[in-house]
Protein backbone atom coordinates (compact mmCIF):
# COMPACT_ATOMS: atom_id res chain seq x y z
CA UNK A 1 0.00 0.00 0.00
CA UNK A 2 1.69 3.20 -1.17
CA UNK A 3 -0.09 5.24 1.51
CA UNK A 4 1.86 3.49 4.25
CA UNK A 5 4.96 5.51 3.55
CA UNK A 6 3.18 8.81 4.18
CA UNK A 7 3.94 10.61 7.41
CA UNK A 8 0.96 10.77 9.76
CA UNK A 9 -0.42 14.24 10.56
CA UNK A 10 -0.15 13.40 14.26
CA UNK A 11 3.62 13.09 13.69
CA UNK A 12 3.85 16.35 11.76
CA UNK A 13 2.83 15.12 8.30
CA UNK A 14 0.28 16.65 5.95
CA UNK A 15 -3.34 15.94 7.07
CA UNK A 16 -5.65 14.20 4.60
CA UNK A 17 -8.20 16.99 4.95
CA UNK A 18 -8.34 20.41 6.59
CA UNK A 19 -11.83 21.41 5.45
CA UNK A 20 -15.21 21.41 7.15
CA UNK A 21 -17.72 18.56 7.47
CA UNK A 22 -21.51 18.78 7.17
CA UNK A 23 -23.46 18.83 10.45
CA UNK A 24 -24.12 15.35 11.76
CA UNK A 25 -27.90 15.62 12.31
CA UNK A 26 -30.10 13.88 9.76
CA UNK A 27 -33.77 14.89 9.52
CA UNK A 28 -33.41 18.34 11.04
CA UNK A 29 -30.74 19.27 8.46
CA UNK A 30 -33.43 18.77 5.81
CA UNK A 31 -35.98 21.14 7.39
CA UNK A 32 -37.32 23.27 4.53
CA UNK A 33 -40.57 24.61 3.10
CA UNK A 34 -42.40 21.28 3.58
CA UNK A 35 -41.85 21.38 7.34
CA UNK A 36 -42.79 25.07 7.57
CA UNK A 37 -45.98 24.43 5.60
CA UNK A 38 -46.83 21.45 7.80
CA UNK A 39 -46.55 23.37 11.04
CA UNK A 40 -48.43 26.40 9.70
CA UNK A 41 -51.17 24.12 8.38
CA UNK A 42 -51.80 22.96 11.94
CA UNK A 43 -51.94 26.52 13.23
CA UNK A 44 -54.32 27.52 10.43
CA UNK A 45 -56.59 24.60 11.31
CA UNK A 46 -56.57 25.73 14.96
CA UNK A 47 -56.38 22.04 15.85
CA UNK A 48 -53.42 21.01 18.00
CA UNK A 49 -55.05 18.05 19.77
CA UNK A 50 -55.58 14.88 17.79
CA UNK A 51 -58.75 13.55 19.42
CA UNK A 52 -61.16 16.37 18.60
CA UNK A 53 -64.76 15.31 17.94
CA UNK A 54 -65.31 13.21 14.85
CA UNK A 55 -66.55 14.80 11.68
CA UNK A 56 -63.54 16.96 10.96
CA UNK A 57 -60.58 15.88 8.85
CA UNK A 58 -58.08 13.21 9.87
CA UNK A 59 -55.59 14.28 12.48
CA UNK A 60 -51.92 14.71 11.57
CA UNK A 61 -51.15 11.95 14.09
CA UNK A 62 -53.44 9.51 12.27
CA UNK A 63 -51.77 10.40 8.96
CA UNK A 64 -48.39 9.64 10.49
CA UNK A 65 -49.74 6.34 11.82
CA UNK A 66 -50.97 5.44 8.32
CA UNK A 67 -47.43 6.06 7.04
CA UNK A 68 -45.94 3.69 9.60
CA UNK A 69 -48.55 1.02 8.92
CA UNK A 70 -47.57 1.19 5.28
CA UNK A 71 -43.82 1.24 5.98
CA UNK A 72 -43.93 -1.74 8.31
CA UNK A 73 -46.93 -3.63 6.93
CA UNK A 74 -48.35 -3.89 10.43
CA UNK A 75 -52.03 -3.74 11.26
CA UNK A 76 -51.75 -1.09 13.97
CA UNK A 77 -49.65 2.01 14.61
CA UNK A 78 -49.90 4.41 17.54
CA UNK A 79 -48.21 7.81 17.61
CA UNK A 80 -46.77 8.75 21.01
CA UNK A 81 -44.75 11.54 22.56
CA UNK A 82 -41.28 9.93 22.50
CA UNK A 83 -39.30 6.77 21.93
CA UNK A 84 -39.21 6.22 25.69
CA UNK A 85 -42.98 6.50 26.02
CA UNK A 86 -43.31 4.15 23.03
CA UNK A 87 -41.23 1.57 24.93
CA UNK A 88 -43.17 2.00 28.19
CA UNK A 89 -46.55 1.76 26.45
CA UNK A 90 -45.38 -1.22 24.36
CA UNK A 91 -44.18 -3.04 27.49
CA UNK A 92 -47.51 -2.39 29.21
CA UNK A 93 -49.26 -3.33 25.96
CA UNK A 94 -47.39 -6.65 25.88
CA UNK A 95 -48.55 -7.40 29.42
CA UNK A 96 -45.25 -6.68 31.16
CA UNK A 97 -45.55 -5.48 34.76
CA UNK A 98 -44.56 -6.08 38.40
CA UNK A 99 -42.75 -9.38 38.94
CA UNK A 100 -41.52 -9.66 35.35
CA UNK A 101 -37.98 -9.56 34.00
CA UNK A 102 -37.15 -7.97 30.66
CA UNK A 103 -33.85 -8.64 28.89
CA UNK A 104 -32.06 -5.62 27.39
CA UNK A 105 -28.65 -5.41 25.66
CA UNK A 106 -25.59 -4.03 27.46
CA UNK A 107 -25.25 -1.45 24.71
CA UNK A 108 -28.34 0.71 24.18
CA UNK A 109 -29.49 4.15 25.20
CA UNK A 110 -30.26 4.15 28.96
CA UNK A 111 -33.93 4.88 28.15
CA UNK A 112 -34.41 1.25 27.08
CA UNK A 113 -33.59 0.03 30.59
CA UNK A 114 -35.36 2.96 32.25
CA UNK A 115 -38.55 2.17 30.31
CA UNK A 116 -38.53 -1.36 31.77
CA UNK A 117 -38.32 0.10 35.28
CA UNK A 118 -41.08 2.62 34.48
CA UNK A 119 -43.25 -0.34 33.44
CA UNK A 120 -42.47 -1.70 36.97
CA UNK A 121 -40.46 -4.64 35.64
CA UNK A 122 -36.84 -5.61 36.29
CA UNK A 123 -34.24 -5.12 33.54
CA UNK A 124 -31.79 -7.99 32.97
CA UNK A 125 -28.67 -7.03 31.04
CA UNK A 126 -27.28 -9.32 28.30
CA UNK A 127 -24.08 -9.18 26.26
CA UNK A 128 -23.76 -7.78 22.76
CA UNK A 129 -21.73 -9.50 20.02
CA UNK A 130 -19.68 -8.26 17.07
CA UNK A 131 -22.80 -6.69 15.56
CA UNK A 132 -22.82 -4.49 18.71
CA UNK A 133 -26.41 -5.63 19.16
CA UNK A 134 -27.96 -8.25 21.45
CA UNK A 135 -26.04 -11.56 21.42
CA UNK A 136 -28.72 -14.26 20.86
CA UNK A 137 -26.71 -16.84 22.84
CA UNK A 138 -26.37 -14.63 25.92
CA UNK A 139 -30.02 -13.60 25.60
CA UNK A 140 -30.89 -17.30 25.86
CA UNK A 141 -28.58 -17.75 28.88
CA UNK A 142 -30.23 -14.83 30.72
CA UNK A 143 -33.76 -16.26 30.45
CA UNK A 144 -35.35 -17.24 33.78
CA UNK A 145 -38.88 -18.41 34.58
CA UNK A 146 -39.67 -14.72 35.23
CA UNK A 147 -38.59 -13.45 31.79
CA UNK A 148 -41.59 -11.91 30.07
CA UNK A 149 -40.00 -9.94 27.24
CA UNK A 150 -36.79 -9.05 25.43
CA UNK A 151 -35.92 -5.75 23.78
CA UNK A 152 -33.51 -6.16 20.85
CA UNK A 153 -32.17 -2.73 19.89
CA UNK A 154 -31.03 -1.89 16.36
CA UNK A 155 -28.17 0.35 17.41
CA UNK A 156 -26.70 3.01 15.12
CA UNK A 157 -28.92 1.92 12.25
CA UNK A 158 -27.64 -1.68 12.20
CA UNK A 159 -30.24 -4.48 12.46
CA UNK A 160 -29.94 -6.95 15.33
CA UNK A 161 -29.77 -10.71 14.61
CA UNK A 162 -33.55 -11.00 14.50
CA UNK A 163 -33.83 -14.55 13.11
CA UNK A 164 -31.80 -15.99 15.98
CA UNK A 165 -33.44 -13.73 18.58
CA UNK A 166 -36.96 -14.61 17.39
CA UNK A 167 -36.14 -18.34 17.44
CA UNK A 168 -34.97 -18.17 21.07
CA UNK A 169 -37.92 -15.97 22.08
CA UNK A 170 -40.57 -18.14 20.41
CA UNK A 171 -39.16 -21.27 22.01
CA UNK A 172 -39.20 -19.65 25.46
CA UNK A 173 -42.57 -17.90 24.84
CA UNK A 174 -41.11 -14.47 25.44
CA UNK A 175 -42.52 -11.27 23.89
CA UNK A 176 -40.19 -9.37 21.58
CA UNK A 177 -40.29 -5.57 21.57
CA UNK A 178 -37.95 -4.08 18.97
CA UNK A 179 -36.34 -0.75 19.86
CA UNK A 180 -35.99 0.87 16.43
CA UNK A 181 -35.22 4.35 17.79
CA UNK A 182 -31.87 4.52 15.99
CA UNK A 183 -32.87 2.63 12.85
CA UNK A 184 -36.02 4.25 11.51
CA UNK A 185 -36.55 2.92 7.96
CA UNK A 186 -34.04 0.09 8.41
CA UNK A 187 -34.73 -3.43 7.20
CA UNK A 188 -33.76 -7.01 7.98
CA UNK A 189 -33.99 -9.77 5.37
CA UNK A 190 -36.74 -8.05 3.44
CA UNK A 191 -38.79 -6.91 6.42
CA UNK A 192 -39.05 -3.50 7.97
CA UNK A 193 -37.42 -3.18 11.39
CA UNK A 194 -40.24 -2.99 13.92
CA UNK A 195 -42.28 -5.52 11.90
CA UNK A 196 -40.48 -8.64 13.15
CA UNK A 197 -41.07 -8.73 16.91
CA UNK A 198 -44.45 -8.59 18.63
CA UNK A 199 -44.20 -4.81 18.84
CA UNK A 200 -41.84 -2.21 17.37
CA UNK A 201 -40.96 1.18 18.89
CA UNK A 202 -39.61 4.24 17.06
CA UNK A 203 -38.28 7.63 18.19
CA UNK A 204 -38.54 10.99 16.42
CA UNK A 205 -36.09 12.81 18.69
CA UNK A 206 -33.53 15.06 16.98
CA UNK A 207 -30.61 12.59 16.95
CA UNK A 208 -32.59 10.05 14.95
CA UNK A 209 -32.98 9.51 11.19
CA UNK A 210 -36.06 11.77 10.97
CA UNK A 211 -37.30 14.08 13.69
CA UNK A 212 -40.17 16.10 15.07
CA UNK A 213 -38.07 17.32 17.99
CA UNK A 214 -39.81 14.77 20.19
CA UNK A 215 -42.13 11.98 19.20
CA UNK A 216 -42.46 8.23 18.85
CA UNK A 217 -44.42 5.41 17.25
CA UNK A 218 -45.52 1.89 18.20
CA UNK A 219 -46.43 -0.72 15.58
CA UNK A 220 -47.95 -4.18 16.10
CA UNK A 221 -50.24 -6.79 14.55
CA UNK A 222 -51.60 -7.79 17.96
CA UNK A 223 -55.00 -6.12 18.43
CA UNK A 224 -55.12 -6.75 22.18
CA UNK A 225 -51.62 -5.33 22.65
CA UNK A 226 -52.66 -2.33 20.53
CA UNK A 227 -55.73 -1.70 22.70
CA UNK A 228 -53.55 -1.96 25.80
CA UNK A 229 -51.03 0.47 24.25
CA UNK A 230 -53.89 2.89 23.60
CA UNK A 231 -54.83 2.76 27.29
CA UNK A 232 -51.22 3.03 28.43
CA UNK A 233 -50.76 6.16 26.31
CA UNK A 234 -53.89 8.01 27.46
CA UNK A 235 -55.57 7.69 30.87
CA UNK A 236 -58.90 8.70 29.32
CA UNK A 237 -58.69 6.93 25.98
CA UNK A 238 -62.20 5.51 26.33
CA UNK A 239 -63.53 9.04 25.97
CA UNK A 240 -61.89 9.33 22.55
CA UNK A 241 -61.84 5.83 21.10
CA UNK A 242 -61.01 2.24 21.90
CA UNK A 243 -62.48 -1.21 22.22
CA UNK A 244 -64.51 -1.51 25.41
CA UNK A 245 -64.32 -5.31 25.40
CA UNK A 246 -60.89 -5.08 27.02
CA UNK A 247 -60.99 -3.99 30.68
CA UNK A 248 -59.61 -0.46 31.14
CA UNK A 249 -56.63 0.38 33.36
CA UNK A 250 -54.89 3.65 34.21
CA UNK A 251 -52.43 5.03 31.69
CA UNK A 252 -50.12 8.01 31.25
CA UNK A 253 -50.39 10.92 28.88
CA UNK A 254 -48.09 9.95 26.04
CA UNK A 255 -50.14 11.53 23.23
CA UNK A 256 -48.33 13.17 20.31
CA UNK A 257 -49.01 16.86 19.68
CA UNK A 258 -50.46 17.72 16.28
CA UNK A 259 -47.60 20.18 15.71
CA UNK A 260 -45.02 17.43 16.16
CA UNK A 261 -47.14 15.01 14.13
CA UNK A 262 -47.34 17.41 11.18
CA UNK A 263 -43.58 17.97 11.29
CA UNK A 264 -43.10 14.20 11.38
CA UNK A 265 -45.40 13.68 8.38
CA UNK A 266 -43.23 16.08 6.35
CA UNK A 267 -40.05 14.34 7.55
CA UNK A 268 -41.47 10.90 6.86
CA UNK A 269 -41.70 11.81 3.19
CA UNK A 270 -37.99 12.64 3.16
CA UNK A 271 -36.82 9.47 4.89
CA UNK A 272 -36.28 7.34 1.73
CA UNK A 273 -33.99 9.98 0.21
CA UNK A 274 -32.04 10.48 3.46
CA UNK A 275 -31.51 6.73 3.84
CA UNK A 276 -30.59 6.20 0.20
CA UNK A 277 -27.85 8.81 0.46
CA UNK A 278 -26.54 7.52 3.81
CA UNK A 279 -26.39 3.98 2.44
CA UNK A 280 -24.54 5.12 -0.69
CA UNK A 281 -21.96 7.02 1.37
CA UNK A 282 -21.38 4.09 3.71
CA UNK A 283 -21.09 1.62 0.82
CA UNK A 284 -18.54 3.90 -0.86
CA UNK A 285 -16.37 4.02 2.27
CA UNK A 286 -16.75 0.32 3.10
CA UNK A 287 -15.79 -0.66 -0.45
CA UNK A 288 -12.44 1.08 0.01
CA UNK A 289 -11.52 -0.20 3.48
CA UNK A 290 -12.98 -3.69 3.53
CA UNK A 291 -9.62 -5.39 3.05
CA UNK A 292 -7.36 -3.17 5.14
CA UNK A 293 -5.23 -5.55 7.26
CA UNK A 294 -5.66 -5.36 11.03
CA UNK A 295 -9.03 -3.67 10.85
CA UNK A 296 -12.26 -5.66 11.36
CA UNK A 297 -15.56 -4.16 10.29
CA UNK A 298 -18.57 -4.44 12.59
CA UNK A 299 -20.62 -7.46 11.54
CA UNK A 300 -23.83 -6.14 9.96
CA UNK A 301 -26.48 -8.90 10.00
CA UNK A 302 -28.15 -7.55 6.83
CA UNK A 303 -26.00 -4.94 5.05
CA UNK A 304 -28.84 -4.02 2.68
CA UNK A 305 -31.10 -3.14 5.59
CA UNK A 306 -28.46 -1.08 7.40
CA UNK A 307 -29.53 2.59 7.63
CA UNK A 308 -25.94 3.67 6.94
CA UNK A 309 -25.78 6.22 9.74
CA UNK A 310 -22.45 4.99 11.09
CA UNK A 311 -19.31 3.10 10.21
CA UNK A 312 -17.86 1.05 13.06
CA UNK A 313 -14.70 -1.04 12.98
CA UNK A 314 -12.67 -2.94 15.55
CA UNK A 315 -8.94 -2.80 16.19
CA UNK A 316 -6.87 -5.54 17.82
CA UNK A 317 -6.75 -3.81 21.23
CA UNK A 318 -8.23 -0.88 23.13
CA UNK A 319 -4.84 0.85 23.14
CA UNK A 320 -4.59 0.54 19.37
CA UNK A 321 -8.11 1.94 19.07
CA UNK A 322 -7.18 5.04 21.08
CA UNK A 323 -4.00 5.52 19.09
CA UNK A 324 -5.86 5.01 15.79
CA UNK A 325 -8.64 7.41 16.74
CA UNK A 326 -6.24 10.21 17.70
CA UNK A 327 -4.21 9.75 14.51
CA UNK A 328 -7.36 9.74 12.36
CA UNK A 329 -8.59 12.90 14.06
CA UNK A 330 -5.27 14.57 13.29
CA UNK A 331 -5.83 13.66 9.62
CA UNK A 332 -8.99 15.78 9.79
CA UNK A 333 -11.44 12.85 9.90
CA UNK A 334 -14.01 13.15 12.75
CA UNK A 335 -14.31 9.87 14.67
CA UNK A 336 -14.43 8.54 18.20
CA UNK A 337 -13.62 5.51 20.29
CA UNK A 338 -16.76 4.01 21.80
CA UNK A 339 -15.70 3.13 25.32
CA UNK A 340 -12.63 4.30 27.14
CA UNK A 341 -13.76 4.67 30.78
CA UNK A 342 -13.33 8.47 30.71
CA UNK A 343 -16.64 9.63 29.23
CA UNK A 344 -19.77 8.29 31.00
CA UNK A 345 -21.49 7.29 27.75
CA UNK A 346 -25.11 6.65 28.67
CA UNK A 347 -25.39 4.00 25.93
CA UNK A 348 -23.16 1.60 27.88
CA UNK A 349 -24.66 -0.37 30.79
CA UNK A 350 -21.62 0.37 32.97
CA UNK A 351 -22.78 3.99 33.18
CA UNK A 352 -26.42 3.22 34.01
CA UNK A 353 -25.83 4.21 37.63
CA UNK A 354 -29.41 4.00 38.89
CA UNK A 355 -29.89 0.58 37.30
CA UNK A 356 -26.64 -0.90 38.63
CA UNK A 357 -27.40 0.42 42.12
CA UNK A 358 -31.11 -0.54 41.90
CA UNK A 359 -32.18 3.01 42.71
CA UNK A 360 -35.72 4.25 42.06
CA UNK A 361 -37.22 7.69 42.58
CA UNK A 362 -37.84 6.91 46.26
CA UNK A 363 -36.04 4.68 48.74
CA UNK A 364 -38.62 1.90 48.51
CA UNK A 365 -36.45 -0.14 46.15
CA UNK A 366 -39.15 -1.09 43.63
CA UNK A 367 -39.24 -2.86 41.24
CA UNK A 368 -36.40 -4.97 42.67
CA UNK A 369 -37.94 -5.21 46.18
CA UNK A 370 -41.52 -5.35 44.92
CA UNK A 371 -43.54 -8.13 46.60
CA UNK A 372 -44.56 -9.41 43.18
CA UNK A 373 -40.92 -9.97 42.17
CA UNK A 374 -39.46 -13.32 43.17
CA UNK A 375 -36.17 -13.14 41.28
CA UNK A 376 -32.73 -12.06 42.37
CA UNK A 377 -31.11 -10.19 39.52
CA UNK A 378 -27.61 -8.89 40.29
CA UNK A 379 -25.72 -6.15 38.48
CA UNK A 380 -22.06 -5.21 38.48
CA UNK A 381 -19.92 -2.89 36.36
CA UNK A 382 -18.02 -5.88 34.96
CA UNK A 383 -20.96 -8.17 34.31
CA UNK A 384 -20.69 -7.95 30.50
CA UNK A 385 -16.95 -8.19 29.77
CA UNK A 386 -17.36 -9.17 26.12
CA UNK A 387 -19.51 -6.12 25.47
CA UNK A 388 -16.88 -3.87 27.05
CA UNK A 389 -14.16 -5.58 25.03
CA UNK A 390 -15.96 -5.00 21.72
CA UNK A 391 -16.82 -1.41 22.57
CA UNK A 392 -13.31 -0.72 23.86
CA UNK A 393 -11.75 -1.80 20.56
CA UNK A 394 -14.30 0.00 18.38
CA UNK A 395 -14.03 3.21 16.41
CA UNK A 396 -17.13 5.03 15.19
CA UNK A 397 -17.55 7.46 12.33
CA UNK A 398 -20.95 9.11 11.89
CA UNK A 399 -22.24 9.84 8.40
CA UNK A 400 -24.33 12.76 7.24
CA UNK A 401 -26.55 12.54 4.16
CA UNK A 402 -24.99 15.89 3.27
CA UNK A 403 -21.56 14.36 2.77
CA UNK A 404 -20.33 14.31 -0.83
CA UNK A 405 -18.61 11.39 -2.53
CA UNK A 406 -15.37 13.31 -1.97
CA UNK A 407 -16.04 13.35 1.78
CA UNK A 408 -16.53 9.57 1.63
CA UNK A 409 -13.25 9.13 -0.25
CA UNK A 410 -11.41 11.32 2.27
CA UNK A 411 -12.71 9.18 5.14
CA UNK A 412 -11.52 6.03 3.38
CA UNK A 413 -8.16 7.59 2.54
CA UNK A 414 -7.69 8.68 6.15
CA UNK A 415 -8.44 5.22 7.48
CA UNK A 416 -6.10 3.58 4.96
CA UNK A 417 -3.31 6.02 5.70
CA UNK A 418 -3.50 5.58 9.48
CA UNK A 419 -3.90 1.80 9.21
CA UNK A 420 -0.88 1.61 6.93
CA UNK A 421 1.35 3.11 9.61
CA UNK A 422 -0.23 1.98 12.88
CA UNK A 423 -1.44 -1.53 12.03
CA UNK A 424 1.39 -3.01 10.00
C1 LIG B 1 -33.27 7.80 21.52
C2 LIG B 1 -33.46 6.43 22.01
C3 LIG B 1 -34.51 6.09 22.87
C4 LIG B 1 -35.42 7.11 23.48
O1 LIG B 1 -36.06 7.91 22.56
P1 LIG B 1 -36.63 9.35 23.05
O2 LIG B 1 -37.48 9.75 21.89
O3 LIG B 1 -35.45 10.23 23.25
O4 LIG B 1 -37.40 9.12 24.29
C5 LIG B 1 -34.67 4.76 23.23
N1 LIG B 1 -33.83 3.82 22.79
C6 LIG B 1 -32.80 4.10 21.96
C7 LIG B 1 -31.92 3.00 21.48
C8 LIG B 1 -32.57 5.42 21.57
O5 LIG B 1 -31.52 5.70 20.79
Amino acid sequence: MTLSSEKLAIEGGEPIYAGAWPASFHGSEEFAQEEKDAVLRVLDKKRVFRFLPRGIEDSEASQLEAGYRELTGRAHALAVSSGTSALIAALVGAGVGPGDEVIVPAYTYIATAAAVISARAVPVIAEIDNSLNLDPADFERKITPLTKAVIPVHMRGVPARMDEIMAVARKAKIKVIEDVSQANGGRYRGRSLGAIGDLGCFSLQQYKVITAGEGGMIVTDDSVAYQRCLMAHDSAIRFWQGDSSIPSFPGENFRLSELAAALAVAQFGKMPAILARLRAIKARVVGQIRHVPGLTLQDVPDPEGDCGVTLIFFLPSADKAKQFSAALKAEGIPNGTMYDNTIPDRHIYRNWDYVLSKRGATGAGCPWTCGAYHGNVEYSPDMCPRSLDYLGRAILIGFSQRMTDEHADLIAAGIRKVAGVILE
Side-chain angles (χ1 to χ4, degrees):
M1 201 184 289
T2 51
L3 288 168
S4 65
S5 58
E6 282 181 48
K7 196 170 182 189
L8 291 179
I10 202 165
E11 288 162 356
E14 195 69 30
I16 289 278
Y17 184 56
W21 295 88
S24 61
F25 284 113
H26 303 295
S28 54
E29 281 300 306
E30 307 304 323
F31 282 173
Q33 198 58 44
E34 295 82 0
E35 282 79 3
K36 292 178 191 168
D37 289 346
V39 171
L40 293 176
R41 181 173 74 229
V42 171
L43 298 182
D44 286 340
K45 285 192 287 186
K46 296 189 164 51
R47 179 187 181 180
V48 285
F49 174 58
R50 70 171 299 182
F51 294 126
L52 281 185
R54 289 170 195 281
I56 48 177
E57 84 298 327
D58 268 0
S59 66
E60 303 286 338
S62 64
Q63 287 176 49
L64 184 65
E65 290 166 351
Y68 274 87
R69 283 197 302 272
E70 196 183 327
L71 174 75
T72 61
R74 300 226 108 165
H76 306 285
L78 177 63
V80 290
S81 54
S82 72
T84 307
S85 53
L87 287 166
I88 298 170
L91 285 159
V92 173
V96 171
D100 296 331
E101 292 179 348
V102 177
I103 296 172
V104 302
Y107 179 56
T108 177
Y109 185 49
I110 190 169
T112 313
V116 173
I117 299 169
S118 291
R120 301 184 184 80
V122 170
V124 171
I125 303 171
E127 295 264 25
I128 55 168
D129 61 22
N130 62 351
S131 69
L132 295 190
N133 289 323
L134 183 65
D135 172 11
D138 201 50
F139 156 42
E140 186 159 30
R141 274 193 289 276
K142 296 284 162 69
I143 293 173
T144 76
L146 303 177
T147 310
K148 186 71 164 267
V150 61
I151 310 183
V153 186
H154 310 292
M155 285 297 280
R156 314 255 175 225
V158 170
R161 296 190 200 288
M162 290 308 293
D163 282 349
E164 292 85 343
I165 291 167
M166 291 305 293
V168 172
R170 289 295 178 244
K171 200 171 78 187
K173 299 198 164 37
I174 290 168
K175 297 278 187 189
V176 178
I177 299 170
E178 294 178 71
D179 183 341
V180 201
S181 298
Q182 299 195 3
N184 211 333
R187 301 178 69 77
Y188 175 78
R189 301 191 173 160
R191 294 164 79 184
S192 178
L193 297 182
I196 303 164
D198 296 282
L199 298 105
C201 297
F202 297 81
S203 168
L204 298 167
Q205 187 266 348
Q206 190 165 1
Y207 286 110
K208 321 299 181 179
V209 175
I210 56 168
T211 185
E214 306 287 355
M217 185 66 65
I218 305 168
V219 295
T220 185
D221 286 330
D222 179 336
S223 313
V224 173
Y226 170 66
Q227 290 296 327
R228 291 178 57 90
C229 288
L230 272 172
M231 287 189 267
H233 110 299
D234 187 328
S235 58
I237 191 69
R238 283 293 157 72
F239 288 93
W240 320 119
Q241 64 174 74
D243 172 356
S244 57
S245 69
I246 296 166
S248 65
F249 57 78
E252 314 280 338
N253 176 3
F254 291 155
R255 293 183 308 258
L256 184 63
S257 152
E258 283 287 280
L259 281 165
L263 194 48
V265 168
Q267 286 268 288
F268 189 79
K270 296 182 177 180
M271 189 159 70
I274 292 173
L275 290 172
R277 183 64 197 144
L278 286 168
R279 286 169 173 151
I281 294 164
K282 180 165 181 177
R284 192 174 174 103
V285 176
V286 167
Q288 297 176 64
I289 62 160
R290 199 190 295 278
H291 302 297
V292 172
L295 186 150
T296 310
L297 291 180
Q298 171 189 24
D299 187 60
V300 177
D302 178 2
E304 279 175 40
D306 182 357
C307 294
V309 289
T310 47
L311 171 74
I312 296 174
F313 52 88
F314 304 107
L315 294 177
S317 70
D319 280 345
K320 277 278 183 226
K322 277 179 211 155
Q323 200 190 343
F324 195 105
S325 174
L328 192 55
K329 226 168 258 173
E331 298 298 337
I333 313 297
N335 77 94
T337 52
M338 295 181 69
Y339 170 64
D340 63 6
N341 262 325
T342 54
I343 310 153
D345 181 345
R346 60 212 176 279
H347 297 85
I348 301 174
Y349 79 96
R350 210 177 207 275
N351 300 313
W352 300 345
D353 55 342
Y354 52 77
V355 180
L356 297 194
S357 53
K358 300 184 178 175
R359 192 168 63 242
T362 72
C366 293
W368 298 276
T369 59
C370 169
Y373 180 57
H374 302 299
N376 56 352
V377 72
E378 294 296 340
Y379 308 109
S380 83
D382 303 316
M383 64 187 288
C384 292
R386 280 189 295 122
S387 302
L388 296 180
D389 176 59
Y390 280 122
L391 293 166
R393 294 188 290 110
I395 288 184
L396 180 149
I397 295 174
F399 294 122
S400 157
Q401 70 281 0
R402 295 265 162 160
M403 284 178 179
T404 61
D405 286 355
E406 289 68 40
H407 285 125
D409 294 345
L410 289 164
I411 291 170
I415 292 170
R416 291 168 62 108
K417 177 180 174 188
V418 173
V421 177
I422 287 184
L423 299 178
E424 57 195 9

